[in-house]
Amino acid sequence: RKTATDTVALAPINKRQKDLYIEYSSYIDDYEAEISAWKKAKEEALSKHKGRDEKKKALIDLGPEPKGPITPILTVEEPTYEGLVKSLAVGWPSIGIFSDEGGRFLGGHGMQQENQLKTAAGLSKLWDGSPITRIRVGDGSFVLYGRRVSLHLMIQPAVSCLLFGNPLLASQGFLSRLLPARPESTIGGREYKGVSINETLELKKYFGTMMQILETPLPLAEGTQNELEPRKISMNAKAKNRWISFHNHIEKLCREGRELFPIRGLATKAAEHAARIAGTLSLVENINAVEINDSNIEAGTTIVQFHLNEALRLFNSSADNPDLILAEQLLAWARLQGEPVYPRKIYQFGPNAIREKATAMRIIHILVDHGWFRPIIGGAEIDG
């Protein structure tokens, strides 16, 4: 139930966005009245005074044009890179590309073939924390500092080939900035429980902690509306030693022929991922934390190691080969039979996508080649 789960996880963010929008709406009328009055006063100042110097002094006395409240857009589902940059320029300085139907983003305009490289490269720069530089004839030129972007997509396994099987995104380095996971399906084991998850102690604590974080005033650079300037937070000595050990351990596993060599792009960023997660967790524990402790680093490295294992399963695997996906389905079905299987039984009762002789035989041969199916030498009697 990815959508149902996501709704629960993002409930605090959605509430905060709604609260901010109500607050934003209450300021709009005042701002429009203020900007109208300022423009009228500007016209009067320019018409009343003569000469360049007098007009200049009048404009200085008038003061700068009033700034409106920033647009409180905290999450978007399928933005183009240009649209994302525009939102960060005039709106909230941190934004999440969040979707429980990630296929909308992967199939959207920003990820079309002609836009993929531009979008992936732009998002990669945002992950690195680099300033955003835009030079356009129509939009003008500007540089944005202190902006943050998060990416959280939930996609169906069959759609994942558009992401994990994309050589352009892999070579550009976009995939190494993602932490993938593919949980086992729980279909068939989801018995009804007459308990509201929203009433559990754990969820109430989660919701309260998230709201405390979200309602904390943004750490803005002095004199700006939407340029973030977060305080620096460092590791204590014990945490730093643990992090260094993790870094060195992962680095050795990235050598050719070692376990993490197939996903070395992600693995070489594993230590940075772990440090970022540890920093986040330290602030979840205490919004005023001044350092990352050893337990934060231990948690961060544990989470990253989970994602490395997931990446080994996903990158360059069944995600980019539809026949291997069918082979996984047939293998799962065969395991449930509790006895040997034979082609006709697969045609009649196997997974729907394999109930055709040519397809079934092709998938059977794949499982034989990989050692999951073994022919019964001399035959056997099954089902009469």
Side-chain angles (χ1 to χ4, degrees), residues 253-272:
L253 297 181
C254 291
R255 294 172 181 164
E256 188 169 1
R258 295 298 301 273
E259 293 91 328
L260 297 180
F261 182 75
I263 57 165
R264 56 194 178 279
L266 171 60
T268 53
K269 284 185 168 54
E272 183 172 354

Side-chain angles (χ1 to χ4, degrees), residues 329-345:
Q329 294 176 5
L330 179 56
L331 180 59
W333 173 83
R335 282 173 166 158
L336 294 175
Q337 303 312 301
E339 60 181 5
V341 296
Y342 50 96
R344 185 174 296 174
K345 187 172 185 177

Side-chain angles (χ1 to χ4, degrees), residues 16-18 20-22 24 69-75 91-92:
R16 178 60 174 159
Q17 181 163 272
K18 184 176 181 180
L20 286 169
Y21 195 79
I22 292 172
Y24 168 82
I70 60 175
T71 311
I73 298 178
L74 274 60
T75 64
W92 212 249

Side-chain angles (χ1 to χ4, degrees), residues 28-39 66-67:
I28 286 297
D29 291 343
D30 287 343
Y31 168 68
E32 289 180 350
E34 186 178 4
I35 193 67
S36 296
W38 182 89
K39 287 180 178 179
K67 292 182 179 179

Side-chain angles (χ1 to χ4, degrees), residues 13-64:
I13 294 173
N14 292 332
K15 183 181 186 307
R16 178 60 174 159
Q17 181 163 272
K18 184 176 181 180
D19 292 345
L20 286 169
Y21 195 79
I22 292 172
E23 184 179 330
Y24 168 82
S25 299
S26 69
Y27 288 140
I28 286 297
D29 291 343
D30 287 343
Y31 168 68
E32 289 180 350
E34 186 178 4
I35 193 67
S36 296
W38 182 89
K39 287 180 178 179
K40 184 66 175 176
K42 180 181 178 182
E43 290 176 7
E44 292 174 354
L46 291 174
S47 62
K48 179 179 178 182
H49 294 86
K50 306 297 182 183
R52 179 176 176 179
D53 290 341
E54 282 191 22
K55 291 180 183 293
K56 179 180 177 181
K57 184 179 183 305
L59 291 178
I60 292 174
D61 292 341
L62 178 63

